Every structure is written in structure tokens, then in C-alpha cells.
Amino acid sequence: MTIRVLLADDQALLRAAFRILIDSCEDMEVVGEATDGAQAIDLARTHRPDLVLMDICMPGTDGLAATSAICADPELSATRVLILTTLEIDEDVAEALRVGASGFLGKDVTADGFLDALRTVAFGESLLCPLATRALITRFLATPAEDSRLATPEDLTALTAREREVMGRVAEGHSNEEIAQKLLLSPLTVRAHVHTAMTKLGARDRAQLVVIAYHSGLVRAVPPPSVGR
């Protein structure tokens, strides 16, 4: 399988660097480059990429608006969006997760980390640093926006007790393997529970399931521990 990537960044030098890295891999290829959000939307609909690497700050239609449009398009349901940002704890990053982005990546990432991140998101997993995500939840995501389209506390009644338990562990930042070990289940069973919870709650992916867990009150936001004094 070749991962088809669309680059969306207004900086030509960064796009060129990303293309060189991606094209050096046998399992990836760049199918298009966008210089703003509007172009990213058009190219996503044209090429149907597996993954869009999206910069938040672009002129005109920004990356947030483009992410929202792509994630809301039923014909692009298989396309994942990975946010590229200079700030991990930022309101725009939080909003991108609300509307369906599968994770975020800092621009200071290493080359190997960058390529691993693309593969992680393209294969349906989420890229969420637990500490940064907890900070995002605490500052921006604990209270849903008034126009939020995400699940409500009442929607959680559709889940079994085990599905709610697994969902809560996911929201705390645990991997399937860690959850399996804690709950004495197989990783495959945990993965099935996660998938079922996503389906029942209309979550686009694991990242959105995390947001729903906090919005619905299944998990309470706890401020991240301070580092030093």
C-alpha cells in the first residue's frame, strides 16, 4: 500500500523539504501541494489522498477552515488530516481536533518522527501526545462549543459498560496494548471496542473519540502537572 499525501502549507521551502522526505520512502508519495486552505480542499476532492498534512496558519482560507470542510465531506471520509503547528497547546489546534483532525505535529519534529507520524495517521490511528492533549482538553476542549456536532452525554447510553470503560482509558492517553493489559483483554478485543464506540457515537477517529469523552463528561479534565516552579 502506498500512502498518498497532500501537502498544504504556504511556505514553498517547507513543502519542498516535506516532499523530499516523503518521496524518499517507497511506501509514500506526494499527490499534490496546496498553498492555502481553499486549494487544499479542491485538491483533496480531486486526488482523494489518504492523508492531508495541514498547516494551520495560511493566507485566505486557513488550515482550520480547510480541515473542517475536508472532515465534513462524506466523500472524503477515508482522508485523514494531520495538523502541522508551531504550538501544541493552541485554541486553533483544539478546534481542529473538534472538527475531525486526527492529530497534530510540531514543526520541530525530526525527519524520522515526521515520517512515522504520517504512517501512524494514514493507518487510522491518532497522533496525540498525552501531556499536550490533556493541556488542550483542560484549556479549550472540556466545555463543548455551542454549535458542537459531537455526541452528548445522552448518547453514551448507546455504549455498553465495557465500551465506556475502554473509551475512558483511550481518553486518558492509553494505547490498545496498555488497555488490554489493564483490563485483561486482548488488544484485538480492545480495538474492536474502540471501533464500536466510534461507530455508535459518530466519531471520525480515535482523536475525536477522545474529545467526545471529555465533552460528554465520561472523563473529567484534570490540569496537566506543572513542570518545576
Side-chain angles (χ1 to χ4, degrees):
M1 175 183 173
T2 300
I3 300 170
R4 304 169 68 252
V5 182
L6 170 64
L7 303 176
D9 196 302
D10 62 321
Q11 298 183 46
L13 186 60
L14 272 181
R15 292 199 313 274
F18 293 149
R19 177 181 280 276
I20 290 171
L21 284 172
I22 292 170
D23 287 346
S24 71
C25 302
E26 294 183 354
D27 61 336
M28 289 189 244
E29 66 173 339
V30 175
V31 297
E33 296 184 27
T35 59
D36 60 32
Q39 192 176 25
I41 297 168
D42 289 341
L43 290 177
R45 289 170 175 164
T46 298
H47 295 290
R48 307 288 178 87
D50 300 301
L51 174 67
V52 180
L53 183 64
M54 184 78 72
D55 185 20
I56 283 283
C57 300
M58 292 187 288
T61 302
D62 63 17
L64 181 57
T67 297
S68 181
I70 290 170
C71 292
D73 190 333
E75 295 187 359
L76 296 175
S77 60
T79 296
R80 300 289 177 242
V81 177
L82 177 59
I83 298 298
L84 189 66
T85 178
T86 55
L87 296 173
E88 289 187 338
I89 304 174
D90 176 78
E91 189 167 8
D92 287 338
V93 175
E95 184 60 26
L97 293 176
R98 274 198 192 101
V99 300
S102 294
F104 51 92
L105 189 65
K107 288 188 176 182
D108 58 349
V109 68
T110 65
D112 288 342
F114 171 76
L115 296 174
D116 286 345
L118 298 188
R119 293 187 181 99
T120 296
V121 173
F123 288 126
E125 297 298 328
S126 297
L127 193 71
L128 299 170
C129 165
L131 183 60
T133 301
R134 204 183 326 157
L136 278 169
I137 293 290
T138 301
R139 291 183 58 185
F140 304 118
L141 296 178
T143 303
E146 292 183 3
D147 60 348
S148 174
R149 301 187 300 272
L150 300 181
T152 64
E154 290 73 24
D155 293 322
L156 293 181
T157 59
L159 303 182
T160 65
R162 179 63 88 183
E163 288 162 358
R164 287 194 295 272
E165 186 176 21
V166 169
M167 180 177 169
R169 302 276 180 176
V170 169
E172 291 170 353
H174 299 293
S175 67
N176 288 351
E177 288 72 20
E178 291 169 338
I179 297 171
Q181 185 176 21
K182 185 70 174 179
L183 301 183
L184 303 179
L185 301 171
S186 72
L188 187 61
T189 298
V190 172
R191 186 180 182 88
H193 283 316
V194 172
H195 179 75
T196 301
M198 286 167 48
T199 300
K200 288 182 177 180
L201 298 176
R204 181 181 175 86
D205 59 15
R206 194 181 182 101
Q208 202 163 61
L209 191 66
V210 171
V211 176
I212 290 172
Y214 285 93
H215 277 198
S216 64
L218 179 66
V219 179
R220 294 185 61 185
V222 177
S226 58
V227 179
R229 292 180 61 89

